[in-house]
């Protein structure tokens, strides 16, 4: 359930996930987050400034591409090391 998910998330030090309801829950719980936006909703409207928001922009590598999927683990490692 959503309550169970929120309870589990409240124990986390970091949330990595898509633009979703859990992103909003993590923000409400002040949990550092790395959010993956797939390009369907603008990060300017739905992202939080305190998150690291990965998004597709014109001319950039789309988040869903193989190249981006290879980059995401490296970005997560850097994110965790500098926290």
């Amino acid at each position: 359930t959503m309550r169970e998910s929120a309870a589990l998330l409240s124990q986390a030090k970091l949330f990595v996930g898509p633009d979703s309801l859990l992103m909003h829950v993590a923000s409400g719980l002040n949990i550092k987050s790395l959010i993956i936006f797939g390009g369907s909703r603008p990060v300017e409207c739905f992202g939080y400034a305190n998150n690291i928001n990965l998004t597709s922009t014109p001319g950039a590598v789309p988040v869903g591409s193989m190249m981006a999927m290879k980059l995401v683990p490296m970005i997560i490692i850097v994110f965790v090391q500098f926290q």
Side-chain angles (χ1 to χ4, degrees):
T1 68
M2 185 48 58
R3 280 185 195 212
E4 292 168 329
S5 297
L8 286 171
L9 187 57
S10 72
Q11 303 303 308
K13 293 182 180 180
L14 171 69
F15 173 70
V16 178
D19 167 26
S20 65
L21 178 60
L22 287 178
M23 169 187 81
H24 301 290
V25 173
S27 180
L29 294 169
N30 294 317
I31 295 171
K32 295 175 183 178
S33 300
L34 189 149
I35 306 301
I36 302 166
F37 281 81
S40 62
R41 297 177 355 145
V43 70
E44 296 82 13
C45 296
F46 296 98
Y48 293 97
N50 56 330
N51 292 344
I52 292 179
N53 299 300
L54 299 179
T55 186
S56 295
T57 55
V61 177
V63 171
S65 75
M66 291 303 290
M67 174 75 92
M69 297 314 289
K70 291 177 184 176
L71 292 175
V72 168
M74 292 188 310
I75 294 167
I76 293 169
I77 290 168
V78 170
F79 179 74
V80 171
Q81 288 180 343
F82 287 98
Q83 296 305 312

